[in-house]
Amino acid sequence: MNRTPRTGRRQRATLAAVVVALVSLLTSACSLGEESASARSNDGKDVLRVGYLHTVAVDSHLQYGLELGIFDKHDLEIETTRFDTGIAESQALSGGSIDVAGMGAVLSNFPAQGGGKVIGVNDIEYDTAQLWVNPRSGIKSVRDLEGKKVLTT
C-alpha cells in the first residue's frame, strides 16, 4: 500500500484522537463511584485494571498510550492483563478481576445477552477475520467447508 505524507498525518491524527478518547474513557471508569474497583497507588494515582486482546485493532490505542506516558500525565496507573479470547476477558470483567476491557468483535455478544455495556467502539478493525486449516485437511477454499463443522471463539 502506498502511503502519502497526507495519509500518514491523517492516520497519526486519528490515532492521537483515539488515544485521547481512550484516556477520557479510562478516566471516567475511575470515577464511576464506589462500585468501581479502582484503587490508589502509593503515589496517589488511580489504579485501573485493564484487560486487552493483543491484536493491532484491539490494543494499539492502549499500547500507544502506555508508550507515550499519556496515562501517567492523567494520574492513572494502568495494570494490564492480556487475554487470548474475548470470552475469557468478558468473564474476567464480569467477575471483577479487571475494571475495563478492550476486546474485538465478541463485545457485541455480551450486551445483547444482558451481560454488560459497551461504552466505546472503534471502527479500525477490518479484514482481520481469518480461517486457518491444516494443509492435510484437503480444504482449499470456503466451498470445501460445506457440510463440515467449524470451531471458532
Side-chain angles (χ1 to χ4, degrees):
M1 170 171 39
N2 291 334
R3 292 185 183 190
T4 64
R6 184 176 176 180
T7 302
R9 282 192 302 270
R10 222 177 313 144
Q11 288 172 337
R12 284 190 301 275
T14 300
L15 184 56
V18 171
V19 169
V20 168
L22 180 62
V23 168
S24 298
L25 175 67
L26 296 178
T27 303
S28 297
C30 284
S31 60
L32 289 176
E34 304 226 3
E35 291 183 41
S36 173
S38 74
R40 292 244 180 230
S41 66
N42 289 339
D43 57 0
K45 293 182 181 180
D46 284 324
V47 176
L48 190 65
R49 300 168 303 167
V50 179
Y52 69 96
L53 295 177
H54 186 54
T55 69
V56 172
V58 175
D59 75 336
S60 59
H61 313 104
L62 173 64
Q63 301 302 334
Y64 191 64
L66 290 169
E67 183 67 27
L68 294 178
I70 291 173
F71 303 114
D72 288 330
K73 291 176 188 174
H74 293 275
D75 291 326
L76 285 173
E77 183 173 311
I78 305 296
E79 292 179 0
T80 61
T81 302
R82 181 177 168 169
F83 290 89
D84 294 324
T85 70
I87 294 170
E89 185 176 11
S90 182
Q91 290 169 340
L93 184 62
S94 296
S97 61
I98 58 175
D99 302 314
V100 178
M103 61 181 70
V106 73
L107 72 82
S108 61
N109 183 45
F110 299 100
Q113 296 179 22
K117 291 182 181 180
V118 175
I119 54 177
V121 178
N122 76 50
D123 60 350
I124 294 173
E125 189 171 359
Y126 62 92
D127 293 338
T128 58
Q130 299 180 11
L131 182 62
W132 292 65
V133 298
N134 185 315
R136 296 183 300 265
S137 70
I139 297 171
K140 304 287 184 210
S141 73
V142 173
R143 276 210 159 115
D144 296 332
L145 294 172
E146 187 173 341
K148 300 205 181 332
K149 291 184 179 181
V150 177
L151 175 68
T152 179
T153 58

